[in-house]
Amino acid sequence: QGCTQKYIVKNYFYYYLFKFSAALGEEIFYITFLPFTYWNIDHSVSRRMIIIWSIVMYIGQVSKDILKWPRPLSPPVVKLEMRTDAEYGMPSTHAMAATAISFSFLIATVNQYKYPFEVGLIAAFVFSTLVCLSRLYTGMHTVLDVIGGALISAVLLVLLYPAWDMIDHLLLTSPFCPLLSIVVPLVLCYNYPKLDYYSPTRGDTTTILGAGAGATVGFWLNNQYAMPAYTSENLPLGFPLITSKIVAVVLARFFVGIFVILLTRRLMKCVVLGMLGYRYKFSIGDLEARRRLEVEVPYKFITYSSVGFSATVLVPLLHELLGLM
């Protein structure tokens, strides 16, 4: 427990391919791809993806801690990751997220942009398959965990798709949206299933719901007060239409936005942890104290809701100020 097994890499292509693929189901991917979609492709596509992602991940994380199915035994399995080893295995939330993001992106864009449906379908399938296979290669899940995660995500997509437009309309127009977007996720985080030992699932769930809450409030504000909005013409998916000028603007938006997001996350972590440390009398470096419910939930929720709000409101304002709209 807590010790990494020694292993020899015999095929570096598979090793780096699946290590990279595993990262496509982690925070580094969410914090880059989802905002990129909002800044450079289409607001409506990004809104749908973020809402689907939040719902799917919450259900997946809670399911793990209700079912309590163990991860593969090691040995004989060699585990290439240690952070998530304390979590239960079924279902694979990597598989759920990859399926939800790739296929919701396909469904949301296929009728808005001119590209072959078959190409989009293959891309979504390859993306989700690589992430699923990475969980087997890294020894973090069984085949059943991965298949279960992908199937649950697919069922949720089918069930939620008919309500997409209605949910989107309510999020943009309802006067209760900001309040519900904050209160409902917070209630879910504080009432997360209790475990006999500490697991990062509650913290990860709070991170996801916090980011979704902040982004949702941002969507509502943008719609109510006509803040800077990108159009579907900003990044045409017909690749022959993409010029060097468009690429330059896209990259500028991305790097400016990522800088603001990372700065927001860093600042809010320090501020919120400092305030909670003063309130509950612990040092910022005290890991055990940071894992307590009364610390972990507000710390992660406030930090990542600020990140979501920054990505959808502050970054577009900065883009407009810099002439990148």
Side-chain angles (χ1 to χ4, degrees):
Q1 294 180 351
C3 299
T4 304
Q5 284 182 271
K6 293 182 178 180
Y7 56 86
I8 298 174
V9 179
K10 295 182 178 180
N11 190 313
Y12 282 95
F13 174 76
Y14 287 143
Y15 178 78
Y16 287 112
L17 172 65
F18 291 124
K19 289 285 281 185
F20 172 77
S21 300
L24 298 178
E26 297 172 357
E27 182 183 354
I28 184 65
F29 175 73
Y30 305 143
I31 210 169
T32 53
F33 178 72
L34 294 177
F36 178 89
T37 306
Y38 188 78
W39 301 328
N40 293 301
I41 298 181
D42 192 289
H43 274 189
S44 64
V45 172
S46 181
R47 288 196 304 268
R48 285 163 169 76
M49 289 176 62
I50 289 173
I51 297 306
I52 292 294
W53 169 68
S54 301
I55 294 172
V56 164
M57 289 299 287
Y58 174 75
I59 292 174
Q61 295 285 74
V62 170
S63 297
K64 281 186 178 184
D65 290 336
I66 291 176
L67 293 174
K68 297 184 179 180
W69 287 21
R71 289 185 182 271
L73 292 176
S74 176
V77 170
V78 175
K79 295 184 178 180
L80 305 187
E81 298 176 15
M82 295 308 299
R83 178 186 176 275
T84 58
D85 192 38
E87 298 179 6
Y88 289 107
M90 178 66 169
S92 166
T93 46
H94 273 71
M96 292 183 71
T99 303
I101 288 176
S102 57
F103 285 93
S104 62
F105 182 82
L106 171 65
I107 295 168
T109 59
V110 70
N111 293 322
Q112 296 191 46
Y113 297 91
K114 294 181 179 179
Y115 68 89
F117 173 75
E118 294 78 8
V119 173
L121 183 63
I122 292 172
F125 181 78
V126 169
F127 177 88
S128 56
T129 300
L130 280 175
V131 175
C132 290
L133 290 177
S134 75
R135 308 315 290 158
L136 302 178
Y137 183 88
T138 55
M140 302 311 296
H141 285 286
T142 65
V143 174
L144 185 59
D145 294 343
V146 169
I147 293 176
L151 287 178
I152 293 171
S153 193
V155 169
L156 289 172
L157 274 175
V158 171
L159 293 176
L160 291 170
Y161 176 71
W164 268 21
D165 292 337
M166 180 187 71
I167 294 172
D168 192 49
H169 178 73
L170 289 174
L171 291 178
L172 294 179
T173 61
S174 173
F176 303 106
C177 174
L179 179 62
L180 292 176
S181 296
I182 299 298
V183 172
V184 172
L186 267 177
V187 170
L188 293 175
C189 292
Y190 274 108
N191 290 277
Y192 193 83
K194 292 180 174 59
L195 297 177
D196 297 330
Y197 61 92
Y198 177 80
S199 166
T201 49
R202 184 183 65 202
D204 291 344
T205 304
T206 306
T207 294
I208 292 163
L209 293 184
T216 302
V217 173
F219 298 150
W220 185 86
L221 280 175
N222 287 339
N223 186 67
Q224 296 297 315
Y225 298 101
M227 291 182 181
Y230 309 97
T231 67
S232 59
E233 297 177 355
N234 286 332
L235 182 59
L237 294 187
F239 292 104
L241 299 177
I242 295 179
T243 65
S244 58
K245 180 181 178 180
I246 291 176
V247 172
V249 171
V250 165
L251 290 176
R253 287 178 186 167
F254 177 72
F255 287 114
V256 167
I258 290 299
F259 174 78
V260 172
I261 283 179
L262 294 178
L263 181 63
T264 300
R265 184 177 67 168
R266 180 65 178 174
L267 288 175
M268 292 307 296
K269 276 186 174 182
C270 293
V271 171
V272 177
L273 272 178
M275 293 175 64
L276 291 169
Y278 177 80
R279 168 68 178 82
Y280 294 107
K281 311 300 180 186
F282 67 88
S283 66
I284 293 179
D286 187 344
L287 182 60
E288 288 302 314
R290 288 165 55 177
R291 289 175 171 180
R292 287 153 45 188
L293 175 68
E294 65 271 22
V295 174
E296 184 176 58
V297 170
Y299 150 53
K300 297 219 167 189
F301 191 87
I302 295 173
T303 298
Y304 284 91
S305 61
S306 300
V307 168
F309 184 82
S310 175
T312 53
V313 175
L314 300 184
V315 171
L317 288 172
L318 183 58
H319 284 167
E320 184 182 44
L321 184 65
L322 296 175
L324 297 174
M325 299 299 293

